[in-house]
Amino acid sequence: MKPSEESETEMRPPPPTVPVPVAMPAFRDWAGLSELPLSEVLRRLLPCVRSIHAFAAVCRPWRRLLRASAADLLRPGMPPLLLNPRSRCVTAFARHLLARPLAYRADLPAEGAILLSASRGHLLLILPRRGPSSQGEPRILIVDAFTGADRREIALPSPRFAYHYAALLPAHLLVFHSKHAFFSLPFPDPSPNPSSSGPRGWTKHSLPRSASFVAGVLEFRGRVLGLTDRAQLLEFRLCASPQGQIVRILPAAGLPDATTFDRWHFGPRLVAAGDRLLLLLFMLEPKSGSSFKFARGVNKVAVYELDMARMRWEEADNIGAYSLFVDYAGKSAAACTDVGSCGVQENRIYVAAPGCSWRSFPPGWEATPVDASSELFSRSAMERKPWTSNIWVYPQLFF
């Protein structure tokens, strides 16, 4: 080899190294991501409801994380959404949270479903009996409230009862059929041995004889509390064995007589506002000669706070930074705070009713002849049958 050829060989760069191809997985299991990065993603999506809706639609683990973090992340600072069952659209309180309505997947009117309540991220509805002659078993339909995607049907314990309310707890499903008794079912996993209790795992329980119809159930400071249509405060203790299951009336003084507030349209509403337990009463007009024939209108919206040490309700004219939202159809109420950017005023009570979006009232509001908001609670409005209203699906239904 000539010297020139040798130097040319030394100066020639080595051939490029061809990387060995690495086998990539066919797909990434996004459902298997840990909660820490998912929570950070969810936090950055706020307050865009459409983005949160897309997050919930990815998979069931993501929906479970959304519900698990809703109490601390979503509920305190966002007003609720409303579902119109007829149009199957979900709308928001403020346009910048949701500029255009979302389409809801569950066609509830077509199924003939009747709403019992909204509880812990689900709509609880009764489905009619199957068959042309209305034979068969009535069923309770449990629908994921935010997306309508997840559904579950459970046969009710007996076709002979008229069920008027239901509630989901962390480990139980409760259905109420009278003011003297109710049924419970382990949820989400029914009892593996149905014969040990009632039909298909249902267990029957007695309510105190002096209690009226249960109108609401909520969790507060680790306790399960209930409220009757007469504003009686109940405590539920559902243990592992039926012998340890207790429902008792908590003695609490300070409320007006049950004949002075509305029980059938709005009814008393129990709501947890941080560490405060509040009660909303819609006070009725004084009785007159025509009150026995026509409905009495509401002339005051009163808020009471429970003094836990003395077990006494005290009327409050200020609820601080909280805003309360009351839904007629869903038989529920929710408290939000730090929602000024959403167009919500603090220390106000917002009521969702047919024919209007929201009407707001300060605690202790009393009707006057020139107040246009009084029409919401007028006799003519209270006499509408049926009073069709929107159903809200968020954020109250995450709990």
Side-chain angles (χ1 to χ4, degrees):
M1 181 180 296
K2 297 179 180 180
S4 59
E5 294 178 350
E6 292 179 357
S7 59
E8 182 179 350
T9 303
E10 292 175 357
M11 296 175 60
R12 185 180 303 165
T17 303
V18 179
V20 179
V22 179
M24 299 296 292
F27 64 93
R28 178 181 293 274
D29 184 11
W30 294 102
L33 290 179
S34 62
E35 291 187 2
L36 184 59
L38 273 182
S39 299
E40 186 60 29
V41 170
L42 180 59
R43 189 181 303 275
R44 291 176 182 270
L45 294 179
L46 294 175
C48 179
V49 176
R50 190 173 293 274
S51 297
I52 298 173
H53 188 275
F55 182 96
V58 172
C59 57
R60 291 183 179 180
W62 287 34
R63 281 194 290 278
R64 285 196 295 266
L65 174 69
L66 182 62
R67 292 196 191 97
S69 59
D72 298 325
L73 184 62
L74 301 181
R75 180 184 181 186
M78 296 185 68
L81 299 180
L82 287 175
L83 165 65
N84 187 326
R86 292 181 177 177
S87 65
R88 297 173 60 191
C89 290
V90 177
T91 57
F93 183 91
R95 286 185 57 84
H96 76 275
L97 295 179
L98 184 61
R100 299 189 309 274
L102 290 171
Y104 201 68
R105 293 183 57 178
D107 190 0
L108 305 179
E111 300 179 75
I114 300 173
L115 180 69
L116 289 177
S117 74
S119 181
R120 294 186 66 88
H122 297 83
L123 299 176
L124 306 183
L125 309 105
I126 281 187
L127 288 175
R129 302 178 186 179
R130 290 190 177 101
S133 59
S134 297
Q135 299 299 319
E137 298 175 330
R139 295 153 291 146
I140 187 167
L141 174 63
I142 305 175
V143 183
D144 174 76
F146 195 43
T147 65
D150 294 336
R151 301 161 59 91
R152 183 170 181 176
E153 292 185 21
I154 299 176
L156 287 164
S158 173
R160 297 182 293 107
F161 298 121
Y163 301 96
H164 66 273
Y165 182 75
L168 277 179
L169 301 180
H172 290 87
L173 167 64
L174 310 182
V175 292
F176 297 84
H177 66 86
S178 74
K179 63 179 182 179
H180 301 305
F182 69 100
F183 292 95
S184 71
L185 178 73
F187 189 86
D189 298 317
S191 172
N193 183 17
S195 61
S196 63
S197 54
R200 301 170 187 82
W202 291 95
T203 302
K204 187 175 182 179
H205 312 276
S206 298
L207 288 164
R209 298 300 296 180
S210 58
S212 185
F213 290 94
V214 172
V217 175
L218 62 75
E219 299 164 60
F220 179 72
R221 295 183 179 178
R223 304 166 71 181
V224 178
L225 303 178
L227 189 74
T228 72
D229 65 326
R230 295 172 54 192
Q232 297 165 304
L233 190 62
L234 307 176
E235 182 177 15
F236 295 80
R237 294 182 179 179
L238 298 171
C239 305
S241 62
Q243 292 77 13
Q245 296 172 350
I246 301 172
V247 182
R248 63 185 181 118
I249 296 180
L250 298 178
L255 293 181
D257 187 84
T259 60
T260 62
F261 55 80
D262 174 58
R263 297 167 56 189
W264 307 114
H265 293 86
F266 291 100
R269 302 296 171 95
L270 195 64
V271 57
D275 291 333
R276 304 166 69 183
L277 187 65
L278 303 178
L279 174 65
L280 278 77
L281 294 181
F282 295 83
M283 309 303 297
L284 295 172
E285 297 170 339
K287 289 184 178 180
S288 63
S290 60
S291 297
F292 296 98
K293 184 178 180 180
F294 301 102
R296 296 154 61 193
V298 172
N299 67 349
K300 182 179 179 180
V301 179
V303 180
Y304 289 82
E305 180 178 356
L306 183 62
D307 184 336
M308 303 292 289
R310 299 189 300 151
M311 288 304 293
R312 183 174 182 84
W313 293 103
E314 301 285 352
E315 187 170 1
D317 57 4
N318 192 309
I319 53 177
Y322 283 93
S323 303
L324 305 184
F325 294 84
V326 179
D327 171 39
Y328 166 79
K331 305 177 183 178
S332 58
C336 298
T337 186
D338 298 328
V339 287
S341 60
C342 302
V344 179
Q345 293 180 338
E346 63 181 31
N347 193 37
R348 304 284 288 188
I349 300 138
Y350 290 85
V351 179
C356 64
S357 53
W358 294 91
R359 295 281 179 84
S360 67
F361 307 88
W365 169 88
E366 295 190 47
T368 62
V370 296
D371 191 347
S373 298
S374 302
E375 176 59 28
L376 176 64
F377 301 122
S378 65
R379 291 182 182 179
S380 60
M382 303 287 278
E383 289 173 342
R384 292 173 189 164
K385 295 181 181 181
W387 188 354
T388 54
S389 175
N390 295 327
I391 305 170
W392 72 10
V393 297
Y394 170 85
Q396 165 67 13
L397 294 184
F398 283 111
F399 307 98

